[in-house]
Each structure stands twice: as C-alpha cells, then as structure tokens.
Amino acid sequence: MPPRPRPEITSPYGPDGPFRNLHRCAQRLESGDWREVLVLLASDGSSKHRLAAVARLIALSMLQQTVGDVERAWTILIEASSILPPAVTSRDPDTGQVTALVVPLQERIAAREQGENGHERRLTCALADITWREQTELGQLQNRSHLYPSARDALIRACEEHLTWIEFAPETWRRQIPPSQLQSIGISLPRKYHEPSRKNLCERASRLRRFADPQQGDVSDSVWADIGGYAGLKAAALEVLGSRHSDSWRLGPRYASLQHFPVRSGCTSAWRFAQDCSAPTPLN
C-alpha cells in the first residue's frame, strides 16, 4: 500500500516570495513534524531568512528531544530565541540566556489586521509561540524535585517522553521522508532510536536526571528490572499520564488555561490513549 500523501497547503507568498514554505513550516512545527520542516527548508529559497533559521533550530531541538538529548535541545532553543525580535523575547539578567515570550493577544490581532503586509509579523508570532512552548516544556523537565525525585520516577517520565515523541507521534511511522532523505541534508538518527529497549529508556532517564541536576548518576539496569521491563514501565507511565491534565502535563499547572496553544500530535495521542486505559471498562 503506498504512503498516504500529506495535505498540501497553497503558499500565500508565491513561488518566489521571501517566506516561501515558512507558513507550512510553522504549521508542521505546531504539530511536531520536525522531519518535514528540515526537508522543506533544505530545498527552499527562503532558507536564508532569519525566520527560516528560527524554524530550522526549533526543528533541530525537536529532533534532539526525539532521541532524548534534552540538554542539547535546550541549548538549540536558546539559540533560536536569540534570533527572534526583542519584542517577543526576554533575557535573563544573571545568565544572559534568551527565552521566548507568549505573544500578547493584541499583537496577534494587529498582525492579522495587516492583511497581505503582515505575513512576516504573523510568522514571527507563530514561531515565538512555538519556541515558548518548547522551552516551557523543557523547563518543566528540569523540575526534578517535582517530576522525578527517584531513579524510578525518572524512568517513568522518560517513558512518557518516549511515548509522546516516538511511539504515539505519527511522524515516526510515516514513510514519506525516509532516513536516506534526512541523511542527504546532514541529519542522521540512531538506527534503533525508536525501540523501547532497556538501553534507550535508561539512557533517556539518565539524561533527564542530569538535565535537572548535573550531579545525578545514571539510571541503572536494576531499576528497569524492578519495574518489570518495558511492559511494567509503560503501564506505570500510562497510569501517571492518565491522571494529568492534557495542557498542564506539558506546560505546567500555571498555563493550563492557554487554550490557543496547539499541542504536538504525539502528546495528544499519548494522552488520549492513557485516558482510555485509565477509564473503567463498562460491564455488559
């Protein structure tokens, strides 16, 4: 059976416009499809624009999260934020790190009202929002005392990340962009990154612990064995995930009311599956 084609979106910028394909990149990044964004930008004349650089960096940070390197993902997002206009970013006076801000509603309305002249402004708002979302999610993962005070908790959270970035992410299983095409643009993925193996998940959990506290050690094989391997680990992760709010799970309880923020498709699918698993089965 041939792969199902992705829906094509007509570019409002024209074939030679300065923002060719960038609107599509923003939409793909909202859903978490970093693969298509990297391929689009590699073949697009707009890739030298600063907003294309932001889009590519966001996609690369998502790649790093997919393989579990949260420290590298965070560093890349800091770089993306530094390219965004100062009006949608904030600089930490102590560390000098730049982070994106939630774009105010008034700015969104003003960008929409500009019509044909507001393309760049609308793209800036969209990419700033996505950067903020990704940075906020990573910021949640740094809250070790809340999320994973023990190695077991870290392993469960690592499984949640595996479910959202790999197992329930539709992009993982699409065939439109084969690994060879990514390799042709300098992107390579570990050959068995998608497998829920002991090695992959314990390594992901160890990186999570060190991201929150560099002094933490690795998650050992004994933690994997004690929880019952992948079957026991996935059951524990789904149980935790099934008890959480769909938005606050990723962004924190403070941002549960931000209804206009799209959630990546892998997050939504994993959360819904966890809800289904936690719901009691009716008796006939």
Side-chain angles (χ1 to χ4, degrees):
M1 179 181 296
R4 184 176 61 186
R6 299 296 303 276
E8 288 298 321
I9 307 169
T10 304
S11 172
Y13 312 117
D16 301 316
F19 307 115
R20 179 188 176 190
N21 275 338
L22 285 182
H23 71 294
R24 192 185 312 178
C25 288
Q27 290 174 326
R28 297 303 189 228
L29 288 171
E30 283 185 350
S31 67
D33 192 353
W34 54 266
R35 294 168 180 81
E36 185 166 347
V37 171
L38 292 175
V39 171
L40 280 171
L41 291 177
S43 60
D44 185 7
S46 68
S47 59
K48 295 182 180 180
H49 192 276
R50 64 179 179 84
L51 290 180
V54 174
R56 186 174 191 276
L57 287 168
I58 297 172
L60 289 173
S61 75
M62 290 181 176
L63 182 160
Q64 296 301 327
Q65 288 223 64
T66 300
V67 300
D69 194 343
V70 285
E71 185 70 49
R72 179 63 181 148
W74 177 260
T75 301
I76 292 173
L77 285 175
I78 295 296
E79 184 179 354
S81 298
S82 67
I83 302 175
L84 288 167
V88 294
T89 61
S90 174
R91 184 179 296 273
D92 188 296
D94 298 322
T95 65
Q97 288 186 340
V98 179
T99 54
L101 299 172
V102 178
V103 178
L105 179 61
Q106 297 89 331
E107 174 66 16
R108 299 171 191 277
I109 295 173
R112 285 198 298 267
E113 289 177 346
Q114 280 189 286
E116 292 295 317
N117 297 321
H119 291 317
E120 182 172 3
R121 195 173 180 182
R122 289 197 297 275
L123 278 169
T124 300
C125 291
L127 292 174
D129 282 346
I130 298 167
T131 304
W132 176 88
R133 180 191 70 186
E134 298 300 309
Q135 287 182 316
T136 302
E137 287 191 16
L138 283 171
Q140 288 294 302
L141 293 178
Q142 285 184 309
N143 191 353
R144 175 179 169 270
S145 61
H146 171 62
L147 290 176
Y148 29 87
S150 69
R152 179 187 175 92
D153 294 318
L155 188 58
I156 292 173
R157 182 64 188 207
C159 187
E160 291 181 50
E161 296 302 297
H162 170 84
L163 295 176
T164 60
W165 284 104
I166 297 177
E167 187 161 328
F168 284 93
E171 299 78 22
T172 302
W173 313 112
R174 289 196 181 111
R175 292 183 292 164
Q176 281 85 353
I177 303 176
S180 59
Q181 188 173 359
L182 290 174
Q183 291 169 4
S184 70
I185 58 174
I187 303 298
S188 61
L189 291 167
R191 188 167 62 91
K192 297 183 178 181
Y193 80 97
H194 60 282
E195 295 181 358
S197 64
R198 171 191 53 77
K199 179 181 181 297
N200 284 348
L201 285 163
C202 285
E203 184 175 304
R204 185 184 282 270
S206 299
R207 284 174 164 173
L208 280 178
R209 296 190 87 195
R210 287 194 293 271
F211 183 50
D213 181 358
Q215 303 304 315
Q216 291 296 313
D218 291 340
V219 174
S220 67
D221 294 353
S222 63
V223 182
W224 173 270
D226 288 343
I227 206 168
Y230 184 60
L233 176 59
K234 184 176 180 179
L238 289 172
E239 183 179 357
V240 172
L241 184 52
S243 67
R244 291 181 174 163
H245 186 278
S246 59
D247 293 328
S248 61
W249 164 49
R250 304 303 299 181
L251 302 175
R254 179 180 176 186
Y255 300 108
S257 62
L258 289 177
Q259 300 297 327
H260 66 277
F261 267 86
V263 180
R264 288 189 307 275
S265 57
C267 297
T268 303
S269 298
W271 183 81
R272 286 175 177 168
F273 183 76
Q275 297 300 304
D276 290 341
C277 291
S278 62
T281 304
L283 298 176
N284 294 328

